[in-house]
């Protein structure tokens, strides 16, 4: 009652404090929502850098592997099933691949069969790689340019006529001289049923800090498929990890600074409020209010301030996140959702922080000497 | 009722000792209306705050109802003040955001207090404030403000009312009214100690005292 009346009387002090705390909450909510969207966006973008794990036969001559770009040794395609059925596997987006070099139109090309992607968790994830419909091929940029091939044209591969579904964009890598087919179709063409050269994957960034991912993946693979080995493209893997760390570090640095500044603001306003109310405190004490009663006047005000600020800040934070999110994050921006747990956190944290910021002014008020205040007049 | 035995207050300021109040003796009986006179800086307010259990004397003994109030701890002394003493100040000290009713009933904000609605009604009628109950202090005249402060001090019928220059900001008519109310209060059994430099206020008092420091 007293608190409400005082707030209505000294509106500007309350509004300024509400502004400070509301800004802190809204920045927390919007930053958090945007950081989640940024994480998802980063996952997608770094994931699109390509597979960073290649599982190949243990018999592979690694010198040859690096020279040719793939393993000449094949392994059963069933390995893929064995991998995805293993619990807690740290691999994602698994896809089986068969490479085979042939001479086509007097030129060496790499036929590449790709299987659909599988997720060990059974979760549906957006595929990283395209899939080729049986009876069609995707043709590399260099080959398409060299032989003037267009989508819809037909080519002959190992005596079978195939239709070009797509000509690939230039990559500046060996991809430009590859012809992509659906895996089982290529296996039939080459009479290599159930054989693959490699299983591509991406490692999940879910390992505890300090664990070397490649060592951990090798241990897992040793347990599931001892006849294989795994090679990691550390450049891609490190880029993914660093990018995620950068985001986490950014928010863990920026957010506390903003919240701290806002809380100092609330504390200073509470101090101004205490000074403004010195005479009032003096008379309350003269009338028999205990220090606790005086402190409660300020603390309960800060609690009320925190509750109102958390509600306003949550609304404002979401408005900001939903206004700017889709503009910033082109891939995942539209999938942003209101996170109600942030409301509960705000309702818990904002009153608590406001109370902490007001604690010193409240204690100073409660222990003011009424005789000193009243004698000064 | 109130007994001061050689009460003094010494402040220390920049290594200097300032005697704000020097060895005062005073015996106040129930129903008496004391007017304490003295010039500004003579220690009148210091003496009043000392009697009001708000300012510990540097030496001497302050007893109210035979109880040495400065042997009580802070909490007990605050409760003692709440139960037994009413205050009136020259500057009124009304809470600016509360209306007349709420200012008078400010004690009600402390949960342990009883219900004083009927006492408040009869007091406001007696003090001519019944048409001002929902007004804020900023909407009242100085005389009305002081009557609200009087009502606040008298609401719980404390045994002792301490008034610090209660007519200092009032015109003659309002001063006369306030002093009359205080006199009436003592006639109904209450005790009033008032400090003032207005000699005309002495006419309403049963006892006077002059302090000079």
């Amino acid at each position: 009652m007293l608190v409400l009346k005082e707030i209505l009387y000294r509106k500007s002090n309350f509004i300024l404090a509400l502004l400070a705390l509301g800004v802190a909450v809204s920045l927390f909510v919007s930053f958090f929502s945007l950081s989640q969207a940024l994480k998802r966006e980063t996952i997608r973008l770094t994931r699109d850098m390509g597979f960073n794990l290649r599982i190949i036969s243990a018999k592979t001559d690694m010198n040859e592997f690096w020279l040719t770009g793939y393993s000449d040794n094949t392994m059963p395609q069933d390995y893929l099933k064995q991998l995805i059925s293993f619990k807690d596997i740290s691999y994602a987006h698994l896809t089986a691949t068969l490479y085979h070099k042939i001479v086509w139109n007097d030129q060496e090309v790499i036929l590449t069969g790709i299987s659909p992607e599988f997720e060990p968790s059974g979760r549906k994830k957006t595929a990283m790689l395209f899939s080729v419909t049986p009876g069609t091929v995707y043709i590399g940029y260099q080959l398409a340019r060299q032989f003037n091939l267009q989508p819809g044209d037909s080519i002959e591969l190992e005596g079978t006529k195939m239709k070009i579904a797509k000509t690939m964009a230039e990559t500046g890598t060996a991809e430009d001289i590859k012809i992509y087919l659906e895996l089982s179709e290529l296996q039939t063409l080459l009479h290599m049923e159930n054989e693959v050269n490699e299983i591509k994957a991406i490692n999940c960034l879910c390992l505890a800090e300090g664990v070397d991912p490649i060592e951990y993946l090798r241990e897992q693979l040793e347990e599931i498929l001892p006849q294989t080995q795994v090679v990691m493209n550390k450049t891609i893997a490190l880029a993914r990890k660093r990018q995620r760390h950068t985001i986490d570090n950014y928010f863990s640095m920026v957010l506390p600074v903003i919240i701290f500044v806002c809380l100092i603001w609330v504390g200073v306003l509470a101090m101004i409020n205490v000074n403004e109310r010195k005479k009032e405190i003096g008379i309350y004490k003269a009338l028999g209010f205990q220090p606790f009663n005086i402190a409660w006047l300020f603390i309960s005000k800060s609690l009320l301030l925190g509750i109102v600020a958390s509600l306003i800040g949550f609304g404002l934070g979401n408005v900001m996140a939903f206004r700017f999110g889709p503009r910033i994050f082109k891939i995942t921006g539209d999938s942003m959702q209101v996170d109600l747990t942030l409301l509960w956190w705000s309702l818990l944290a904002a009153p608590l922080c406001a109370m902490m910021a007001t604690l010193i002014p409240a204690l100073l008020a409660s222990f003011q000497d009424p005789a000193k205040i009243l004698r000064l007049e | 009722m109130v007994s001061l035995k050689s009460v003094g207050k010494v402040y220390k300021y920049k290594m200097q000792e300032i005697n704000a109040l020097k060895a005062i003796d005073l015996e106040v009986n129930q129903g008496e209306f004391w007017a304490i006179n003295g010039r500004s800086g003579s220690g009148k307010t210091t003496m009043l705050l000392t009697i009001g259990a708000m300012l510990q004397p540097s030496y001497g003994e302050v007893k109210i109802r035979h109880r040495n109030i400065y042997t009580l701890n802070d909490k007990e002394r605050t409760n003692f003040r709440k139960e037994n003493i009413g205050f009136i100040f020259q500057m009124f000290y009304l809470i600016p955001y509360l209306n007349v009713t709420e200012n008078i009933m400010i004690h009600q904000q402390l949960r342990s207090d009883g219900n004083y609605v009927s006492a408040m009604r009869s007091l406001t009628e007696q003090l001519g404030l019944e048409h001002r109950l929902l007004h804020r202090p900023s909407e009242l005249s100085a005389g009305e403000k002081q009557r609200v402060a009087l009502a606040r001090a008298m609401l719980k019928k404390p045994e002792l009312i301490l008034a610090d220059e209660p007519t200092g900001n009032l015109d003659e008519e309002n001063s006369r009214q306030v002093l009359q109310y205080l006199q009436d209060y003592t006639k109904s059994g209450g005790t009033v100690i008032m400090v003032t430099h207005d000699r005309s206020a002495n006419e309403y008092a049963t006892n006077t005292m002059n302090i000079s420091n």
Side-chain angles (χ1 to χ4, degrees), chain A residues 1-2 5-6 9-10 277 279-280 283-290 293 369-371 374-375 377, chain B residues 11 46 49 54-55 75 78-79 81-82 87 89 93 95-98 102 106 109-110 136 152:
Chain A
M1 176 71 175
L2 272 184
K5 297 233 170 202
E6 196 271 332
Y9 183 71
R10 293 193 182 93
R277 299 172 71 181
K279 280 185 215 162
E280 186 188 325
I283 196 66
Y284 280 140
K285 293 199 100 173
L287 292 173
F289 277 53
Q290 294 286 359
N293 301 124
D369 182 356
L374 300 173
R375 207 180 50 227
E377 282 301 324
Chain B
Y11 293 109
T46 302
L49 294 172
M54 280 198 278
L55 187 64
K75 192 180 174 184
T78 304
N79 279 332
R81 201 162 53 232
K82 187 175 88 179
F87 287 93
F89 300 93
Y93 291 140
I95 310 297
Y97 49 85
L98 299 182
E102 290 158 345
I106 188 73
Q109 297 298 330
L110 302 176
R136 280 190 181 171
R152 181 178 66 189

Side-chain angles (χ1 to χ4, degrees), chain A residues 184-214:
Chain A
S184 58
E185 190 159 44
L186 181 62
Q187 286 169 333
T188 311
L189 271 182
L190 303 173
H191 309 290
M192 294 173 76
E193 277 81 3
N194 198 36
E195 283 185 66
V196 294
N197 308 85
E198 149 175 353
I199 296 168
K200 288 175 191 288
I202 194 163
N203 66 311
C204 87
L205 294 172
C206 50
L207 299 180
E209 200 65 38
V211 176
D212 181 1
I214 187 63

Side-chain angles (χ1 to χ4, degrees), chain B residues 103-137:
Chain B
N103 260 294
I104 296 171
M105 307 256 292
I106 188 73
H107 306 82
Q108 291 284 96
Q109 297 298 330
L110 302 176
R111 271 173 274 164
S112 56
D113 272 26
N115 191 341
Y116 291 95
V117 177
S118 57
M120 185 273 297
R121 286 212 176 113
S122 89
L123 258 176
T124 49
E125 271 175 39
Q126 199 185 322
L127 295 168
L129 291 168
E130 67 274 21
H131 60 296
R132 294 294 209 181
L133 296 181
L134 298 176
H135 289 238
R136 280 190 181 171

